[in-house]
Amino acid sequence: MELDNLYQEVILDHYKRPQNKKLATTFDAQVHHVNPSCGDEIDLNLVIKNEIVTSITWDGVGCSISQASVSILTDLLVGKSITEAYAIYDNFVALMQSKGAIKGDESVLEDAIALAGVSKYPARIKCALLGWMAFKDASVQAQAKSELG
Ligand code: ZN
């Protein structure tokens, strides 16, 4: 896989020094997602308070793309409102599904832009999306729970 050198550095940095990789003991939702085609696995715990994503913690094993992508996601989405987080999520999914056709908006995606090149490698897109799918799943569960009060 040929990714831009600077982007590769961002990915490796998150892989070697993952952010928020320690499952919190309290959470509103906990999910376990796997990507069988590569062997990637993650657990993700989420806390949403007053429509704000206040904590995303995780643990996992797998390839550098999958693990770096979750780390980047936690950096990016903690502190955002659910609406903002979903906008970023939609932006990232669109980028991954673009087959390299769009470059992505760095002002929205920040470090996640480093994964742009992955969209040209269909086998790896699921790796990059694993954490994002887990976040979406957990957020839906957390919101359903808060509506029940
Ligand atoms: Zn993978």
Side-chain angles (χ1 to χ4, degrees), residues 127-143:
C127 302
L129 284 176
L130 182 67
W132 297 72
M133 295 300 169
F135 164 75
K136 188 69 182 280
D137 183 14
S139 70
V140 169
Q141 290 185 30
Q143 285 178 298

Side-chain angles (χ1 to χ4, degrees), residues 5-58:
N5 281 342
L6 174 68
Y7 284 179
Q8 213 151 28
E9 227 169 87
V10 173
I11 292 167
L12 279 178
D13 195 53
H14 275 277
Y15 181 58
K16 288 180 190 157
R17 284 180 289 277
Q19 303 297 303
N20 303 297
K21 190 179 178 185
K22 185 178 191 300
L23 286 169
T25 49
T26 57
F27 47 83
D28 296 325
Q30 179 172 52
V31 297
H32 177 73
H33 277 224
V34 297
N35 171 23
S37 62
C38 181
D40 310 318
E41 287 190 39
I42 64 159
D43 291 295
L44 184 145
N45 288 357
L46 176 68
V47 180
I48 297 175
K49 279 202 175 72
N50 302 322
E51 308 279 302
I52 305 287
V53 178
T54 56
S55 164
I56 308 171
T57 55
W58 65 284

Side-chain angles (χ1 to χ4, degrees), residues 51-114:
E51 308 279 302
I52 305 287
V53 178
T54 56
S55 164
I56 308 171
T57 55
W58 65 284
D59 198 6
V61 290
C63 69
S64 57
I65 300 282
S66 67
Q67 306 298 299
S69 188
V70 190
S71 173
I72 289 168
L73 169 145
T74 64
D75 248 4
L76 196 53
L77 300 188
V78 170
K80 299 283 197 298
S81 71
I82 274 289
T83 311
E84 288 169 326
Y86 280 1
I88 295 167
Y89 169 91
D90 288 343
N91 206 294
F92 185 74
V93 172
L95 176 64
M96 285 301 111
Q97 291 171 344
S98 76
K99 301 186 172 74
I102 56 174
K103 286 197 161 55
D105 185 345
E106 192 169 0
S107 69
V108 176
L109 294 171
E110 299 180 25
D111 275 2
I113 201 84

